[in-house]
Amino acid sequence: MAKATQKITLSSSRDIPFDKLVLSQSNVRRVQAGVSIEELSVSIARRGLIQSLHVRPILDADGAETGKFEVPAGGRRYRALELLIKQKRLAKNALVPCVVGDAGSDVLIDEVSLAENMDRAPLHPLDQFRAFKAMIDKGKTEEAVAAALFVDVHVVKQRLRLVSVSPTLLDVYAAEEMTLEQLMAFTVSDDHARQEQVWNALRNGYQKEPYNIRRALTETTVSATDKRAFFVGAAAYEAAGGVILRDLFEDDRGGWFQDTALLDRLVAEKLRSVADDIAEEGWKWVQAAVHLPYGLTNGLRRLPGTAALTEDERVTREELREESDRLVEQYEQADDIPDEVNNRLEEIDAALEAFEDRPVRYEPDDIARAGVFVSLGGNGLPKVDRGYVRPEDEPAPDGDDDSMTETAESRPAAPKAPIVQRPVITIGGQAAQPEEEPEEDGIKPLPDRLVAELTAHRTLALRDAVANNPHVAMTALLHKLVSDAFEHRSATGALEAHVRQVMFPAQSEDLNDCQSAKSVADRHERWGDHIPADDEALWNWLTALEDDRRMELLAHCVSYGVNALHERPNPYSGSGVSDHALKVRLSQADRLARATGLDMAQAGWRPTVGNYFGRVTKARIVEAVREGAGERAAELIGHMKKGEMAKEAERLLQDTNWLPEPLRLADGEDVFETGDREGGEEALPAFLAGDDDDEDGAADTEEDQEQPMAAE
């Protein structure tokens, strides 16, 4: 006969007065953690005792029950009840629900206490998130939930944001196939389909870090730190119906503006408003854009304008300058400058700067023929450059009339009021993407246009370097003059030597804002403030100029003739360059770079998706990372699609000073290798070698085009 399985008997439960309970010394919990006793007492007062205490009868020396009970499991609840009694909120003999264990049990009381604390299963975070959501759905506010659960309202907002992620991804998290940090990263977007698309693209790869997820979800948005976002402002953007993606778990620096088209429209409208206000001043034209190309003002005359000071203001300015000089001289040798002196010097500097920043005034006649450029500065504030006169708007010189006799027909009409031409505002959008072609194996030559843009950067940096090195500038000028004098080239004027500024037919969007462009423009403006307009006065001024200043001015002027541009050789067009002339130009440009010590990385150039990686093949991206960040980094990005590979390369090489071949300085050797070739032909550098008909760079494969992803 089979033996019956012995049934388990559970301990009985009963209500025991609190004053009959004693905290057991066998309770294993010694370190306080989690919810405090005070918070637990508030919870019990609000919700009642949710979980009973486990107790055992206390026996006397003869083994008889004393009527007292010790508490081995539930010590924190006991302490919370004890606190409520001390606060007079609970009676001393209040009945407490208890599970009464057998005093004679073979199970140690220590084991009961240990099991009670170890066997409990912590609530899964997802269950907590959903519980918060359920409370909100039943009418509770976020503040009420936070108060009820003794947490900050920001914690409630975070939990609610987590549970709003795609249900599919919540199931992935519940199955422990995704970390909490990864789930948090998905909250920056409310688009469930996009969230799932990103996860499916990353789940089997090596780029599942939270920052990669955030980058992928925000790659089509505009950062709140973008100057367009600063210009429009978050309030105006949201008032127009725009959505700002926010990250409640990381510092998002203001978030991301999701609707790029809306933002660009608001930028255009606000720029137009700024331009309209400026046009009311009477200018003939106003040209406004987010980005103005470098060299836009070439060939235009800049009106000098006046910032007239009253006699009292001039006296005040001179007094401030004298006081500043006196304080600087007095404390020049002092080890410590008193705070009040420092504060005074700062006040003087601010006052003098205010004098310098006074608005410039122009004559009404000048305003009627001149115009204004409006763009956005890096801080998102409008950058207004007034007073540019186009050649066709210059006043006619005196004495141009063929007849000295004034007739009714030839007599000029009475002057009319200046006509304000309303500005046409164009917002510089993203450059059109080239038609994508299949990726080819190996490293192709760089596209001609990309090389032209890169060498435009190098030309500008070379101009700045030559202008800062008068000795090299003088040598370059003498080289040109001696070549002309001894090679008997035809003269075209009183002095054959001349410098002609070379324009850039191809330039990237960031060229106008680069360090070299600002340096050249600042230097040109400083000299332009002093140079007389009259030819005779200019000669006299140059004659009286100190030698060091003459050299500086010479270097600045010579620098404008520097041309390190690459262009496709075309000797058959009137303005084209032959293959030999291009090689000579680039060879001499490299010689200038070595002489001035030019390093394009130190000049501020950094490789980005826009100016390099998005324009070349995947093979070149991998090669660049291998050169700048090492073999291991190149292996890690080798499997990526083109879009994310380009962005990851930008991040990896940001601080490595890596440069593409057209921008590198050849240490001690010419860029062009020479050898025993027929006809003495010189070899092209690697980035120009080969037959390159791809003007706009390589594109992704068909597979890459399906899901272009970003990686940080």
Side-chain angles (χ1 to χ4, degrees):
M1 180 180 294
K3 186 176 181 180
T5 302
Q6 185 175 1
K7 303 298 183 184
I8 298 173
T9 302
L10 300 178
S11 299
S12 61
S13 61
R14 54 188 283 200
D15 293 338
I16 301 175
F18 182 82
D19 55 7
K20 299 297 183 182
L21 302 177
V22 178
L23 188 60
S24 175
Q25 297 302 309
S26 298
N27 194 302
V28 298
R29 187 183 291 274
R30 296 286 189 270
V31 179
Q32 297 299 328
V35 180
S36 68
I37 298 300
E38 291 77 10
E39 291 175 338
L40 183 57
S41 68
V42 176
S43 176
I44 293 174
R46 175 183 172 86
R47 308 177 183 92
L49 192 64
I50 298 175
Q51 184 178 356
S52 301
L53 277 63
H54 184 93
V55 301
R56 277 192 180 185
I58 298 177
L59 306 179
D60 59 16
D62 297 328
E65 293 188 8
T66 62
K68 295 279 189 178
F69 299 84
E70 60 180 333
V71 184
R76 296 179 68 252
R77 278 161 278 154
Y78 176 88
R79 291 294 190 193
L81 293 170
E82 185 179 49
L83 178 60
L84 290 172
I85 292 173
K86 290 180 181 179
Q87 296 172 346
K88 307 298 185 182
R89 303 178 67 188
L90 184 69
K92 293 182 179 180
N93 60 351
L95 298 178
V96 180
C98 300
V99 175
V100 184
D102 184 4
S105 173
D106 294 336
V107 178
L108 295 175
I109 193 172
D110 308 80
E111 181 182 340
V112 173
S113 177
L114 184 62
E116 194 264 351
N117 286 281
M118 292 186 61
D119 290 350
R120 69 177 64 180
L123 186 67
H124 192 280
L126 186 56
D127 292 329
Q128 184 191 88
F129 308 157
R130 287 169 171 162
F132 277 49
K133 178 74 163 49
M135 295 176 69
I136 295 294
D137 292 342
K138 292 179 180 178
K140 290 287 186 181
T141 64
E142 294 174 348
E143 291 73 15
V145 173
L149 299 175
F150 314 110
V151 296
D152 188 271
V153 68
H154 186 67
V155 174
V156 177
K157 292 180 182 292
Q158 288 180 329
R159 301 300 185 266
L160 293 174
R161 179 67 70 86
L162 284 167
V163 81
S164 67
V165 173
S166 165
T168 301
L169 298 187
L170 292 179
D171 292 340
V172 173
Y173 172 61
E176 299 183 352
E177 297 176 10
M178 178 191 298
T179 67
L180 178 59
E181 289 73 19
Q182 290 170 329
L183 182 67
M184 289 159 57
F186 279 102
T187 64
V188 301
S189 172
D190 295 327
D191 187 342
H192 288 182
R194 179 60 177 160
Q195 291 172 353
E196 294 170 14
Q197 182 187 36
V198 169
W199 175 248
N200 291 332
L202 296 180
R203 65 187 308 168
N204 297 320
Y206 300 98
Q207 304 293 324
K208 292 186 291 186
E209 291 83 357
Y211 63 79
N212 280 327
I213 295 173
R214 290 186 181 91
R215 173 69 71 85
L217 290 170
T218 59
E219 65 178 350
T220 59
T221 62
V222 176
S223 171
T225 59
D226 187 277
K227 61 183 178 182
R228 292 172 292 169
F230 277 133
F231 180 57
V232 171
Y237 169 77
E238 290 180 313
V243 176
I244 299 180
L245 304 180
R246 300 304 303 263
D247 190 341
L248 294 182
F249 303 93
E250 298 284 344
D251 179 14
D252 59 11
R253 302 175 67 188
W256 299 269
F257 287 46
Q258 187 176 27
D259 193 337
T260 304
L262 172 62
L263 177 62
D264 286 338
R265 178 172 65 80
L266 294 176
V267 169
E269 292 173 355
K270 190 170 182 180
L271 264 180
R272 183 180 296 277
S273 176
V274 172
D276 285 344
D277 291 341
I278 294 172
E280 294 296 334
E281 300 172 9
W283 300 99
K284 183 173 183 179
W285 52 266
V286 178
Q287 182 174 342
V290 175
H291 308 282
L292 292 176
Y294 178 79
L296 185 63
T297 60
N298 290 328
L300 306 184
R301 178 170 64 90
R302 181 73 181 271
L303 296 176
T306 58
L309 300 177
T310 65
E311 189 60 32
D312 290 341
E313 288 173 332
R314 288 194 184 91
V315 172
T316 301
R317 183 178 63 178
E318 292 306 315
E319 290 176 349
L320 289 172
R321 288 175 175 172
E322 291 173 1
E323 183 182 357
S324 176
D325 294 341
R326 185 172 62 253
L327 289 175
V328 170
E329 183 179 357
Q330 181 179 350
Y331 291 96
E332 187 175 12
Q333 304 299 328
D335 295 332
D336 188 22
I337 300 178
D339 290 340
E340 59 271 16
V341 176
N342 264 329
N343 294 337
R344 179 55 183 160
L345 286 172
E346 291 178 0
E347 292 173 359
I348 293 174
D349 288 342
L352 291 175
E353 186 175 347
F355 281 117
E356 298 299 329
D357 291 341
R358 291 171 63 87
V360 178
R361 301 173 185 173
Y362 300 93
E363 295 297 329
D365 290 344
D366 287 336
I367 292 178
R369 68 169 58 94
V372 183
F373 292 107
V374 182
S375 60
L376 292 187
N379 57 0
L381 297 177
K383 182 180 177 183
V384 181
D385 292 323
R386 292 176 170 85
Y388 287 92
V389 181
R390 292 168 174 163
E392 61 270 24
D393 296 328
E394 291 286 4
D398 295 336
D400 279 354
D401 292 340
D402 293 333
S403 174
M404 300 299 294
T405 304
E406 187 180 56
T407 66
E409 292 76 11
S410 63
R411 186 180 300 114
K416 297 180 180 179
I419 299 176
V420 176
Q421 178 178 315
R422 291 299 177 182
V424 177
I425 301 174
T426 55
I427 304 300
Q430 297 292 328
Q433 296 296 322
E435 184 178 351
E436 297 184 341
E437 299 176 359
E439 182 82 18
E440 296 183 6
D441 295 334
I443 298 179
K444 296 177 61 180
L446 293 178
D448 283 344
R449 181 177 177 83
L450 175 58
V451 177
E453 291 180 4
L454 293 174
T455 51
H457 270 284
R458 192 185 190 214
T459 299
L460 204 56
L462 264 177
R463 289 179 182 177
D464 192 33
V466 169
N468 284 306
N469 197 322
H471 180 76
V472 175
M474 178 64 80
T475 303
L477 179 59
L478 286 174
H479 179 272
K480 174 68 167 62
L481 294 175
V482 170
S483 297
D484 291 345
F486 287 88
E487 295 179 15
H488 306 291
R489 298 176 181 174
S490 59
T492 57
L495 179 66
E496 183 171 340
H498 69 278
V499 176
R500 183 186 62 193
Q501 183 174 358
V502 180
M503 307 309 295
F504 303 141
Q507 56 179 276
S508 56
E509 188 178 86
D510 61 347
L511 185 65
N512 199 40
D513 295 325
C514 72
Q515 178 180 321
S516 301
K518 293 177 180 177
S519 178
V520 171
D522 289 344
R523 185 185 308 107
H524 192 77
E525 186 173 353
R526 288 198 305 272
W527 278 112
D529 292 339
H530 301 286
I531 295 178
D534 181 73
D535 184 73
E536 187 68 24
L538 174 61
W539 178 266
N540 295 333
W541 180 78
L542 288 173
T543 303
L545 203 61
E546 297 177 357
D547 286 346
D548 289 345
R549 296 283 286 163
R550 287 161 60 92
M551 290 290 286
E552 291 176 13
L553 179 57
L554 173 65
H556 175 67
C557 295
V558 168
S559 71
Y560 273 93
V562 172
N563 183 0
L565 288 172
H566 165 266
E567 56 185 292
R568 183 185 291 274
N570 185 8
Y572 303 108
S573 69
S575 59
V577 63
S578 68
D579 186 67
H580 173 72
L582 177 63
K583 293 171 184 175
V584 172
R585 175 195 297 175
L586 297 181
S587 177
Q588 291 187 0
D590 193 66
R591 183 171 63 206
L592 280 176
R594 287 200 308 273
T596 57
L598 173 65
D599 185 330
M600 287 300 298
Q602 294 179 4
W605 192 90
R606 294 291 183 273
T608 66
V609 175
N611 68 17
Y612 187 77
F613 295 121
R615 315 280 298 282
V616 299
T617 62
K618 292 171 66 175
R620 277 201 175 272
I621 298 176
V622 173
E623 182 64 22
V625 172
R626 180 179 291 111
E627 291 178 353
E631 185 66 36
R632 175 59 178 162
E635 292 176 355
L636 290 176
I637 70 167
H639 69 285
M640 294 181 181
K641 292 180 172 60
K642 176 71 173 293
E644 66 176 287
M645 178 186 287
K647 294 188 176 183
E648 184 67 6
E650 176 180 332
R651 185 183 71 85
L652 290 170
L653 297 182
Q654 188 63 27
D655 299 319
T656 62
N657 291 338
W658 179 87
L659 297 171
E661 293 171 72
L663 301 186
R664 294 179 187 174
L665 176 67
D667 276 331
E669 293 186 8
D670 288 341
V671 171
F672 304 96
E673 298 177 358
T674 57
D676 296 326
R677 286 184 273 286
E678 280 188 31
E681 283 287 325
E682 297 175 285
L684 284 170
F687 67 89
L688 295 178
D691 181 18
D692 182 14
D693 292 326
D694 182 5
E695 288 293 332
D696 293 308
D700 305 335
T701 62
E702 183 177 350
E703 178 186 358
D704 287 347
Q705 297 172 19
E706 292 177 359
Q707 297 181 13
M709 300 298 300
E712 184 171 348

